[in-house]
Amino acid sequence: MTNESTTTPSARRDWLVPALLLGLSAVPVVAGAFRLAELSVGATVTPDNARFFAAPVPIVLHILSVSVFSVLGAFQFSPGFRRRMPRWHRAAGWAVAPSGLVAAASGLWMQASYELPEGDGDTLAVLRVLFGSAMFLSLVLGLVAISRRDFVRHGAWMLRGYAIGLGAGTQVLTHMPWVLLFGAPGEGVRAVLMGAGWVINVAVAEWIIRRRATSPRKAKQPGAQRRPAVVPPIARLIGSSD
């Protein structure tokens, strides 16, 4: 009875973290699968997809790498999985990190080579380059940190890179209220909503990183009390990993 009551919440949390992250990445992964199917069967060419048929390599690389990065990466941030299966964590990392680098690089490639679709503009193009570059750099710094066996910095930089890469999932949530209330957003509003998705993810990642950094010091101070903070549930779950 005691063992069941103490282990069940931890086991649930171990599955809840990847489940929530997989749910957040479900829409872009499924949309990517439909795009691949469209390209493979030779669907009708339209103004929306003509650029992909003209140059399919970057979009195919992007979809495949993002899917691997999102799905496997979701399990990298589960506290229990990391503790109980360190070998799996390291083995999965050999797929997660390269796929993330390919995802960021192919995203930048698409931005540089494809014509801007209707509804996009220069502001959104700048945001894509900014966050795509930040994702690539974060993953590189994460690899540099693990090569030096600096596990704290490795975890922080990989979390930043994953948060940016998962921005497409959050962008679905930032767009949904606007579309339901006002219809399709214009060029300026679309840029704001897209940017908000990345900013929200990065803010949550930074909150988790700072919480991990300050928790041990607070624990050493007798009588120290921690103020309850209002944060997203997923942040509380991932942030409790250490």
Side-chain angles (χ1 to χ4, degrees):
M1 218 56 178
T2 303
N3 290 338
E4 184 178 354
S5 63
T6 56
T7 58
T8 298
S10 176
R12 288 177 179 173
R13 185 176 62 197
D14 291 344
W15 283 105
L16 188 56
V17 171
L20 290 172
L21 293 174
L22 288 173
L24 192 62
S25 60
V27 172
V29 169
V30 171
F34 276 109
R35 181 70 71 187
L36 286 180
E38 183 182 59
L39 291 171
S40 63
V41 300
T44 303
V45 178
T46 68
D48 291 333
N49 63 21
R51 62 191 185 280
F52 302 134
F53 281 98
V57 174
I59 184 64
V60 170
L61 284 176
H62 189 68
I63 292 171
L64 294 177
S65 58
V66 164
S67 298
V68 173
F69 184 65
S70 301
V71 174
L72 286 183
F75 295 91
Q76 296 294 81
F77 300 101
S78 173
F81 287 171
R82 288 206 309 272
R83 286 194 299 267
R84 292 195 301 269
M85 295 184 286
R87 291 182 179 178
W88 187 93
H89 177 78
R90 289 193 293 269
W94 285 103
V96 172
S99 63
L101 291 172
V102 173
S106 58
L108 294 171
W109 183 6
M110 289 192 297
Q111 182 58 51
S113 60
Y114 289 158
E115 293 184 5
L116 292 178
E118 185 179 356
D120 288 7
D122 293 338
T123 301
L124 182 53
V126 170
L127 289 175
R128 284 185 171 131
V129 171
L130 175 64
F131 283 101
S133 301
M135 176 181 171
F136 190 90
L137 180 60
S138 295
L139 297 176
V140 169
L141 291 174
L143 292 174
V144 171
I146 198 62
S147 70
R148 297 174 177 173
R149 301 189 66 78
D150 189 339
F151 301 108
V152 174
R153 284 194 173 89
H154 168 71
W157 284 115
M158 294 303 292
L159 180 55
R160 290 182 179 111
Y162 187 77
I164 297 172
L166 216 60
T170 308
Q171 285 159 359
V172 175
L173 302 179
T174 58
H175 275 72
M176 192 179 300
W178 185 277
V179 172
L180 292 176
L181 292 173
F182 308 107
E187 184 178 301
V189 174
R190 175 170 161 76
V192 171
L193 296 175
M194 293 285 284
W198 284 307
V199 170
I200 289 170
N201 282 14
V202 171
V204 172
E206 291 300 327
W207 181 89
I208 294 169
I209 292 167
R210 279 158 177 71
R211 184 177 184 273
R212 288 175 176 175
T214 57
S215 291
R217 287 195 291 268
K218 289 184 178 181
K220 294 178 182 178
Q221 297 175 1
Q225 296 182 351
R226 303 169 72 180
R227 298 180 181 177
V230 179
V231 296
I234 186 62
R236 289 198 298 270
L237 289 166
I238 301 176
S240 61
S241 60
D242 294 332

